[in-house]
Amino acid sequence: MSKLSSLQEKDLKYIFHPCSQMKDYEKLPPMIIKKAEGLYLEDEFGNRYMDCVGSWWVNLFGHCNPRINRVIKEQIDKLEHVLFVNFSHEAAIELAEELIKVVPKGIEKFLFADNGSSSIEMALKLSFQYHQQSGNPKRTKFISLSNAYHGETVGALGVGDVDIFTKTYRPLIKEGLKADKPECFRCPYGKNYSTCEAQCFERMEKLIEENRGEIAAVIIEPVVQGAAGMKIYSPIYIKKLREITKKYGIHLIADEIAVGFGRTGKMFAMEHAGVSPDIMCMSKGLTAGYYPMAIIGITQEIYDSFYADYLEGKSFLHSHTYSGNPIGCRIALEVLRIFREENILEMIEEKGEYLRKKAQEVFEGHPYIGEYRQIGMIGALEFVKDRDNKELFPSEERAGYEIYKIALKKGALLRPLGNVIYFMPPYIITKEEIDKMLEICKESIDEYIDRRNKDK
Ligand SMILES: *Cc1c(COP(=O)(O)O)cnc(C)c1O
């Protein structure tokens, strides 16, 4: 065990960290971050790290962004919180007024929650209740994609399918139907990005046809399945899905929690397909990495199904204590203003192109990289043992975790998902920093491979 600082000692004495095996901290203790600025985190020993994963996909404009810091200070001196039932406030109203201008057409009303998983729970309940009170009580099932990730609360796990999060809890979960996901890196139809017409949609189509009278909604992560390993798939798939769900009166729920707010190069990933969902969940980038908040956008039609005299029992009786918190709303409003005033979408396009070009240069022909893929400001490397047969490293080797540890020593926070190493940096990253990030990533992979081959 390395020598611990007193903060690290106390941390381990009291805290159970998320998504970790606490015993792993014996070898690599928690890093105590004292402060952060822009792309960089600084630990208690003064070491700096590039935050290449945007602190779990949330940070858009850098840490301690001066514009956002200022509005928080102003808001906190005015109104810190008020209950959101029967009460409202300027920050929420102004936010809604701005948000409506950028969400896909057809989204007309907003509900508020305080984290992504809760917004998924709400989306599922809204769709379920809509059908119950619209004369379709048999519509009780949900369809999602294999390997989907929609959060880790019990309801969200039912539409999720990432085994490490789900396995233990299966008996507890109300399992939805799963359609085989698009698998572009290993396309079973032998298509590539230019010949793909989302032929694999037939599997989803079949599942919908077989259950069509009983389905409330289909939920997807549009264009990128994030936790599955940044799997990018064709917007044609989404177009087809929109068509068939419309035809059968099934809701389409877009989980834009990870991909919304510019990540894929469009404000929302659904725009790649040019279609609108019935329900849309937003979180993560919504508050740029500052504050736990989520918003659910719905159509007027869904809203109307809940609108009735109280005694008809159609109210949506779901609340989270901190729904609509004014500080979160004020931050989200500033996020939208920054997008508009600082031409963020153009910046993403330019930097995204640079990242793509550079990443291709750095990783092209690398014997252990099966594929580099990218959309907007999400880049991902599929790390393979053998490029020709696309064989993966055995998961017991924890290659991703080992590479993570090497990269940290070199000053970059990369946090692989299994055998996928990805980049999801704040949009303010500079071209020089992109170069540096790629260089550290490549060196870390090479060092890992060297060490591994020596050990064999
Ligand atoms: C992060 C995420 C969630 C869950 O959000 P939390 O705030 O972590 O509960 C749901 N769906 C997707 C696609 C996500 O990336």
Side-chain angles (χ1 to χ4, degrees), residues 230-259:
M230 302 300 163
K231 307 278 187 184
I232 302 170
Y233 64 94
S234 169
I236 300 170
Y237 191 96
I238 300 171
K239 263 192 211 146
K240 292 183 177 179
L241 181 59
R242 178 68 283 189
E243 242 166 66
I244 193 168
T245 48
K246 231 184 208 133
K247 180 168 145 202
Y248 292 132
I250 297 166
H251 290 142
L252 176 56
I253 304 175
D255 177 352
E256 291 261 2
I257 294 170
V259 291

Side-chain angles (χ1 to χ4, degrees), residues 57 115-117 149-151 221 255 257-258 284:
W57 322 351
N115 66 77
S117 307
Y149 180 87
H150 297 291
E221 297 159 86
D255 177 352
I257 294 170
K284 295 208 164 100

Side-chain angles (χ1 to χ4, degrees), residues 383 397-405 414-421 448:
F383 189 56
E397 283 188 30
R398 302 180 77 191
Y401 183 61
E402 295 303 318
I403 291 168
Y404 159 76
K405 290 195 285 188
L414 293 163
R415 207 174 185 291
L417 292 157
N419 286 300
V420 173
I421 302 169
Y448 171 72

Side-chain angles (χ1 to χ4, degrees), residues 339-354:
F339 261 97
R340 204 176 52 225
E341 290 161 20
E342 301 184 16
N343 299 319
I344 300 297
L345 289 173
E346 280 153 50
M347 181 171 159
I348 293 167
E349 189 178 339
E350 193 201 326
K351 287 183 188 169
E353 272 322 300
Y354 185 82

Side-chain angles (χ1 to χ4, degrees), residues 128-141:
F128 182 89
Q129 187 173 339
Y130 167 92
H131 294 297
Q132 292 296 309
Q133 59 202 16
S134 305
N136 288 303
K138 282 214 190 106
R139 290 191 180 271
T140 58
K141 294 182 181 166

Side-chain angles (χ1 to χ4, degrees), residues 358-373:
K358 285 289 170 167
Q360 276 162 354
E361 272 171 42
V362 173
F363 297 112
E364 188 146 294
H366 192 290
Y368 294 95
I369 307 284
E371 179 184 62
Y372 177 75
R373 53 179 176 263

